[in-house]
Amino acid sequence: MQLRPGMSAIVTGGASGIGRALVLALAREGIFITIIDFADEKGREVASLVEKEASKLHTGLELPAAMFIKCDVTDSNELAAAFDKHVAIYGGLDICITCAGIGSPVSFYEDRTDGSKSWRRTIAINLVAVIDSTRLAIQAMQEAKKPGVIINVGSASGLFPLYNDPIYSGSKGGVVIFTRSLALYRRQGIRINVLCPEFVQTEMASKVDPKIINLTGGFMPMEMVVKGAFELIQNESKAGSCLWISNKRGYEYWPTPGEEEKYRRHPKNLKRNSSILTPLNIQVPHSFEKIVVHTLSHDFRSATSVVQASLKLPLQPDYVLLKIIYAGVNASDVNFSSGRYFSGSNKDSVSVLPFDAGFEAVGVIAAIGNSVKHLKVGTPAAIMTFGSYAEFTVVHARHILSVERPDPEVVAMLTSGLTASIALEKAAQIDTGKTVLVTAAAGGTGQFAVQLAKLAGNKVIATCGGKDKAELLKDLGVDRAIDYKAENIKTVLKEEFPKGVDIVYESVGGEMFDLCLNALATYGRLVVIGMISQYQGEHGWKPRNYTGLCEKLLARSQTVAGFFLIQYSNLWQEHLNKLMDLHYSGKLKVAVDPKQFLGVHSVANAVDYLHSGKSIGKVVVCIDPNFSHQAAKL
Ligand code: NAP
């Protein structure tokens, strides 16, 4: 999330210590802030400092730069009223930082009271109020239907025991694991993270034995904590993440990937679930929004618009109404909007205007026609038919693919996963012990191709543009990731694979195709999956000539094979089941790009993003953020 003047934040415990520092840092970015704290005088003082800061920025915005609300965070009614007031004044909530916290007033070892004024109070402020605040913030963000970030301030004592204050340590440990368990809210655009600093020089820390503080290397600078919080706000890939900040190790996400792998519960033991969802409350409206192509153009944004369509019920006997939760974004969305998928002349394509856009989605069956006996309302389902960029779609029952869950990972398995799975088997005729080269390998379909080729027992080389993408590819098990921004692909292939490659899964086209063809070994097979680099040329798609192609192929008994998924629809369900089995048994990872696209109106942004070359993994649009939350519980 990019911080912009005019956004708003709530900071509990914002009157002093870390909370105060965060309030002032956000104020410097022009953020409107509500400070919720028990300390009246200090709270007002911080609010006036924010006002002063805001006057320097001259944003021209008329709202109060800061509001102080005196509130005991353990009083849930007072707390809810404070959140309501913030939303009423600022019209929503972009950031919530829960910072209110105390150390234990009485040592646990010496406490002979009933605990109501000692350890119960610490747990009530440090943990219960954090849970309450998080719930209120989620609610405010859901109602505003805008992305939001929540940061719960934990402590390094939530990761490692603080022997002299087990109650404090326990409360912060609770905050850490509570927050990490909320990672799935990212699907609604709400990222909830926990910040775990070691000792910072605040009033609270002044009560801690200096020997303990010295053991950690002394107090850490407040700026480090502020920087850590900003990282969690701005880094869109962080959700359910725990950032540990220490003097000795700096910033470290906890657990590290290595630690996580050691203890991860592999989903193979989780029960597969296919006939669920009766608890979901699907409201079928009279009309819904969808994207139509009104003008043929490879510029998706100018080719399309969002329109209101009416829903005609009852459905025809063999039809199904699907409520769409996630839709997948594909490189070919721009080919479709340019009319390239309609055979014949440009005149033929124009005659089909306007037509519905979007190729694939997952959702829940919302209604069925009288003759549909094998499907149930409330069941998760996928489609790979046109018209998926919509809140609802009506499809013939034969187009329904059965899926385990309506998740973004399952959307990725549709066009992207199936292309890799079927193309490798049918067009590449993949075997074992071969060298396989995959281009655009960190993209939607590339990520599946590299893993399936590895699982089949091959050596895999993968190309991508960027360090983060190369990291992902290594994580997916690739033997040699070539980041073309840092290395020359041709040189690497020549030096490290002088015998050439046996199979190429090629989807970039243009010069990349030439390069791959030149790297092909004798008997090699190059599968043309696509040519993304050519889709949006200045004057549209210009077919290329390949002079000498026949001679080249003949001389080395090579094959260039084309692959188009639409022609293999008879294999979709079988391969989808295979992909789901691999995924749920922990053998196949599915990378979904962390950037949030929410609602039908965000589709054009998502298509542009895919073509920007910056995306990693599958780009997905969450069509209904509220409903996705219900579905995530399944
Ligand atoms: P994707 O791979 O997620 O596309 C994004 C990636 O493509 C980018 O991260 C970038 O990767 C690369 N890229 C984007 N714009 C580019 C440009 N102008 N020049 C060069 N590289 C560019 O997209 P996808 O939907 O999965 O599709 C990938 C390819 O598979 C496309 O060619 C698509 O048409 C094809 N496809 C074919 C079928 C079929 O049935 N044949 C089905 C699905 C997809 P790097 O820069 O990191 O390489």
Side-chain angles (χ1 to χ4, degrees), residues 81-115:
F83 273 73
D84 283 348
K85 190 166 175 193
H86 176 95
V87 172
I89 290 187
Y90 297 113
L93 175 65
D94 300 292
I95 299 160
C96 173
I97 302 180
T98 66
C99 206
I102 59 166
S104 295
V106 183
S107 159
F108 177 76
Y109 303 102
E110 288 155 18
D111 191 358
R112 300 287 173 266
T113 70
D114 67 354

Side-chain angles (χ1 to χ4, degrees), residues 330-332 415-416 419 440 443-445 464-465 469 484 507-508 529-533 535 563-565 610-611 613 615 617:
N330 285 285
S332 281
T415 309
S416 299
T419 298
T445 189
C464 66
K469 296 188 188 189
Y484 63 75
S507 61
V508 173
I529 298 296
M531 50 285 276
I532 192 167
S533 65
Y535 296 164
F563 177 85
F564 197 21
L565 185 62
L610 186 143
H611 283 278
S615 61

